[in-house]
Structure formats: C-alpha cells, structure tokens
Amino acid sequence: MDGRMNAAILTVGDELLAGDVENTNATWLASRLADRGVVVGEIRVVPDDAALIATAVREFTDRFDATIVTGGLGSTPDDVTLEGVARAFDVSLERDDEVRSAVEATVSDIRDEYPQFEFDLEEAARYPSEGRIVPNEEGIAPGWVIANVYIVPGLPAEMKATFGAIVDEFDGERRTETVYSSEPESHLNELLETVRDRFDVTVGCYPGADRKRITLSSDDADRLEQATDWMTSRSEIDATE
Amino acid sequence: MDGRMNAAILTVGDELLAGDVENTNATWLASRLADRGVVVGEIRVVPDDAALIATAVREFTDRFDATIVTGGLGSTPDDVTLEGVARAFDVSLERDDEVRSAVEATVSDIRDEYPQFEFDLEEAARYPSEGRIVPNEEGIAPGWVIANVYIVPGLPAEMKATFGAIVDEFDGERRTETVYSSEPESHLNELLETVRDRFDVTVGCYPGADRKRITLSSDDADRLEQATDWMTSRSEIDATE
C-alpha cells in the first residue's frame, strides 16, 4: 500500500432495505476507516440474496483496495453472505476445521448455561474454501477474510469485536480538517472553489443549525495544512470553532 | 405498473462516506416505500462526484422501476448531483424557467428577513434540460424528475417535504407480516425453510433482545395470509406479539 487506501462497505440485509433499522454498522465502520486515513468510496446495501452479494463483491474487489462485508452470517436460511462471497471468488463452502473448533467452543459455553441448545455445528463450520478466520469474541459465527474482502457479523457488538481483530490492516493517508463559517452558502462559493483549486484538496460544505461546517481533505499532510491555514486566515471563516 | 414495483435509493454525500452522519434519509425513504408496497432493491451511497453519480443512475434506471436520488442539490461547489444525473441521461443543465420562478420566490422570502442575502439565481436555475420540477416547500432548490429518476434535496426537512409531492407515484403490492419466536435460531431453521418453500414467501429472521422477529413478505396477499396463518399455528411461534 502506497499510503492511499480506499475501501467499500457492503451491508447485507432485507431489514435495512425495508427501512426497519438504521444502518448504524455502515456509519460506524465508515467512521473508523476515516479515522485511520482510509477513503470510503462507496457504501452499498443489498438484500439477503447470494447472487446480488456476489455481483457487488466482484465489482468492489476490482475497484477498491479493501471491502468490508457485514450482515447475513447467522444460521437461518436468509443468511447467505458466505455463499455470496464464495461465489464471487468461484470457491465453494467447505468445512473449515479452525472455524469448527471456534464455533464448537462458543456453543459449548452457551450449553453451560442453556443445556438444551441445539446447533448444527457441521453446517455452521462451512466457510469459503480459501481465506482465513477472524475471531468473533462476542458471538458464534467468526468473521472471514478472502483476498481483500473482510466479512464481519451484522450484530453490532459482534461486528465491532470482529472488526477489532482486523483494524490494523486498514491504514491510509487521508486526513480531514474542519472549519466553520457563519456566512450564507451563497457567499462561500468563490472561497470554496479557490481553496479546492489552489491547494488541490477535497472540499465539503454542510449546513448546520447556526453555521456551515466546511471540511478539507487530502492525502498530502502539507497541502492540507496549507489549505487549512489559508482558510482560517479568511474573514468568512469564524475565528473560533 | 403491474402491481410489482421495485426501487433503488441513491444517497449522495462525502459526509455519509466519512461516517459523520447516519444515513437517516435512506432509512426514512426505504420505510415510506415499504409502507407503499414498493420493494427497495438497493441503497447506495456515493461521493459528491458527478461521474460516479452518473454511473450509479445509469445502472439503476436499467435495473429498477424507480430511483430516488437525495443529496447534493445545494449551491456550493461540492453539490454536483444534478450534473451527475444529467450526464446519466446525456442531457445538459440549462436554465429552467419554472425552477427560476420557484427559486426566485423563495429567495425573495429569505430577503424579506435577510436583505443582504446574496444568491446566484441564474446558476441555481440550471436544471436538466429534460424532466419536470418537484416543488420544495422547505428550501431553495426544487426536486426534479427525469424519466424514472426522482431527485430530492438532502436536508431531511426538505427531503421529506419534496418526497411528499411525489409519494403517490410509488405504489406496489409487496406486503410484510411479522411474527415472533422465543426459540433459539437453531431451532427455527426447518420451520423457516418450510414456510418459505411451501408458500413461496420471502422470510427474514432477526435477533432481538429477548426473542426473534420473523418477517414474511410477498406480492401476493393470499399467499402471505396463508403463510402467516400457518406460522401462527406453530408451537415455535409465540401466541401473542
């Protein structure tokens, strides 16, 4: 990796497409990646459909340095994420001994509390025939990495715990600075175009309750610092945050 | 439309990809569409980049009956949604008289309160050379419809108001019923596969704090009713919601 790193986030689940729940997983992952200097180039939500998951994964592996897939790792029939990712790489799902051991240990812990807990261990141990396990300290189904695709569970606690085991693999140079302005948007256009063109930084301007939030982003720390200094010297920019 | 209707939601904005804000617009729109029986087949977040917006819109117009695009309708340089959609349809942005009148009226209202408000009316009136206006009662930039693509502003109050003017154009047959179970997921697999195969309905199972939420969806009201009746007669399904 040469400093720049871009990534896509693929969240799987009919419940997201029905508007039943906010896609807080995507926002959380996007924020963590941004903190690490990684540019998130796309977030996509697709149904629990192996063919559509495979299509999205194929496209993302071509376009992005890394793809994080979350959701659909459970054991009910609507959970087809592993099948979809396996299809994208033309590999099969096969019993993985390391997954089997991890799942067996978790199920054994659950049975200490609920002795009657039934579970199809062999079915749950079927993972893509290539790749490597990512431990899930918070639930049954481990995550998985195949090529540049990282699969993590969809339940937020499990997603966060599993992402924690792979977070070091995400590292880019994109940094963002934020300044504020009380001017109307229409007074800011020339300023925003000038800073963008003069310093070659990405500029965003977002309305707020009482003033605009302006973001400057770049992979180049020097340019970003120069652009930020130039902006804060302008009368349109509030002297204090 | 023959009863089935599917749609995609395209939300535009670097701030969403940086994880700065939850994509509540997508969830709100998805929920309204689901209420109206429309199947949302994909939600996508792309940057403020006209080329990427154009690519997504072209793909969606092929795959879906309707596409809702939200975000990037403001007047700062990072707002390029209209340009992206125009590119997707190979049309240009030109001054639209109806848009100009609507924007002028809104700006005039603003100037009643803030007489010094500067605004480039001619620039703001540049909309795709084909299509029709959607009034925005809550802000400056009107929405726009071109072919089967509906563009609405990104600020939630403006998005909701503008969507209200086009909501009647979304009408499908997909309905969803929800039942609950206190059984572990692993005990429900056979039941879920059976109801899916026997009644040809879409089945989802979602973990909750104390029990599973099971959704049954179909475009066919009779099949959905039969599937729901069959489910509620089963011992695995809780007698009461």
Side-chain angles (χ1 to χ4, degrees):
Chain A
M1 206 58 60
D2 66 351
R4 290 171 189 264
M5 182 179 190
N6 65 27
I9 298 170
L10 179 64
T11 52
V12 178
D14 292 341
E15 74 278 24
L16 296 164
L17 295 165
D20 281 348
V21 287
E22 291 293 347
N23 194 354
T24 54
N25 281 356
T27 309
W28 188 89
L29 286 167
S31 179
R32 292 299 85 70
L33 292 170
D35 288 346
R36 298 187 67 82
V38 176
V39 178
V40 177
E42 184 172 323
I43 295 171
R44 195 179 288 194
V45 186
V46 296
D48 297 292
D49 179 305
L52 293 173
I53 295 165
T55 300
V57 168
R58 274 194 209 102
E59 184 186 330
F60 284 171
T61 52
D62 282 347
R63 288 175 52 205
F64 298 101
D65 297 320
T67 299
I68 301 181
V69 184
T70 179
L73 273 197
S75 62
T76 53
D78 54 316
D79 294 317
V80 295
T81 294
L82 290 172
E83 187 189 331
V85 176
R87 264 198 225 185
F89 287 97
D90 287 319
V91 300
S92 55
L93 296 183
E94 289 170 20
R95 173 178 138 173
D96 183 272
D97 287 337
E98 203 178 345
V99 169
R100 194 183 181 285
S101 298
V103 171
E104 190 170 28
T106 308
V107 169
S108 170
D109 288 346
I110 295 173
R111 283 193 178 131
D112 287 345
E113 204 171 342
Y114 306 100
Q116 79 289 12
F117 184 70
E118 281 177 32
F119 196 80
D120 186 339
L121 185 57
E122 300 311 319
E123 180 64 26
R126 294 180 68 242
Y127 267 59
S129 59
E130 293 176 15
R132 59 186 157 96
I133 190 173
V134 183
N136 174 1
E137 305 289 350
E138 292 287 331
I140 294 178
W144 192 255
V145 183
I146 174 168
N148 60 357
V149 175
Y150 298 77
I151 311 169
V152 295
L155 280 175
E158 299 185 32
M159 184 269 299
K160 291 174 185 180
T162 310
F163 181 73
I166 53 174
V167 63
D168 290 343
E169 301 182 36
F170 297 89
D171 190 19
E173 296 291 333
R174 174 66 66 98
R175 294 291 177 270
T176 296
E177 296 286 349
T178 304
V179 297
Y180 296 87
S181 174
S182 302
E183 297 287 315
E185 267 202 359
S186 51
H187 295 203
L188 294 171
N189 278 337
E190 197 183 325
L191 176 67
L192 300 177
E193 281 178 19
T194 303
V195 70
R196 183 186 64 185
D197 296 343
R198 185 178 297 186
F199 300 98
D200 190 21
V201 295
T202 302
V203 178
C205 180
Y206 308 104
D210 52 352
R211 55 187 190 164
K212 315 292 168 299
R213 188 169 60 83
I214 298 168
T215 59
L216 308 172
S217 304
S218 176
D219 294 333
D220 184 313
D222 289 340
R223 273 197 274 122
L224 182 60
E225 188 183 347
Q226 289 160 14
T228 308
D229 287 348
W230 185 80
M231 284 292 273
T232 52
S233 74
R234 299 286 307 222
S235 63
E236 294 94 333
I237 302 301
D238 297 351
T240 55
E241 290 220 338
Chain B
M1 208 57 61
D2 65 352
R4 291 170 188 263
M5 181 178 191
N6 64 28
I9 298 170
L10 180 64
T11 52
V12 178
D14 291 342
E15 74 278 25
L16 296 164
L17 294 165
D20 281 348
V21 288
E22 291 291 346
N23 194 353
T24 55
N25 281 356
T27 310
W28 188 89
L29 287 166
S31 180
R32 295 296 87 69
L33 292 170
D35 287 347
R36 299 188 66 83
V38 176
V39 179
V40 177
E42 185 171 324
I43 296 170
R44 196 180 286 194
V45 186
V46 296
D48 296 293
D49 178 306
L52 293 174
I53 294 166
T55 300
V57 168
R58 276 195 207 102
E59 183 185 331
F60 284 172
T61 53
D62 282 346
R63 289 174 52 204
F64 297 101
D65 297 319
T67 299
I68 301 180
V69 184
T70 180
L73 274 198
S75 62
T76 52
D78 54 318
D79 294 317
V80 295
T81 294
L82 290 173
E83 186 189 332
V85 176
R87 262 197 227 187
F89 287 98
D90 287 319
V91 300
S92 55
L93 296 184
E94 290 172 18
R95 173 178 139 172
D96 183 273
D97 287 338
E98 203 177 345
V99 169
R100 192 182 183 286
S101 299
V103 171
E104 190 171 28
T106 308
V107 169
S108 171
D109 287 347
I110 294 172
R111 284 194 177 129
D112 288 346
E113 204 171 343
Y114 306 100
Q116 78 289 13
F117 184 70
E118 280 176 35
F119 196 80
D120 186 340
L121 186 55
E122 301 311 320
E123 180 64 25
R126 294 179 69 242
Y127 266 59
S129 60
E130 292 175 16
R132 59 186 158 95
I133 191 173
V134 183
N136 173 1
E137 305 290 351
E138 294 287 331
I140 294 179
W144 194 255
V145 183
I146 175 167
N148 59 358
V149 175
Y150 299 77
I151 311 170
V152 295
L155 280 175
E158 300 186 31
M159 184 270 298
K160 291 175 185 179
T162 310
F163 182 73
I166 52 173
V167 62
D168 290 342
E169 302 182 37
F170 298 90
D171 190 20
E173 297 290 333
R174 172 67 63 99
R175 294 292 177 270
T176 297
E177 297 285 350
T178 304
V179 298
Y180 296 87
S181 174
S182 302
E183 297 287 315
E185 267 201 359
S186 52
H187 295 203
L188 294 170
N189 277 337
E190 198 182 324
L191 175 67
L192 299 177
E193 281 178 19
T194 304
V195 71
R196 182 185 67 185
D197 296 343
R198 185 179 297 187
F199 300 99
D200 190 22
V201 295
T202 302
V203 178
C205 181
Y206 308 106
D210 52 351
R211 56 190 189 161
K212 313 295 167 298
R213 189 168 59 83
I214 298 167
T215 60
L216 308 172
S217 304
S218 175
D219 294 334
D220 184 314
D222 289 340
R223 272 196 276 122
L224 182 59
E225 187 183 347
Q226 288 160 15
T228 308
D229 287 348
W230 184 81
M231 284 292 273
T232 52
S233 74
R234 298 286 308 223
S235 62
E236 294 93 333
I237 302 301
D238 296 351
T240 57
E241 289 219 341

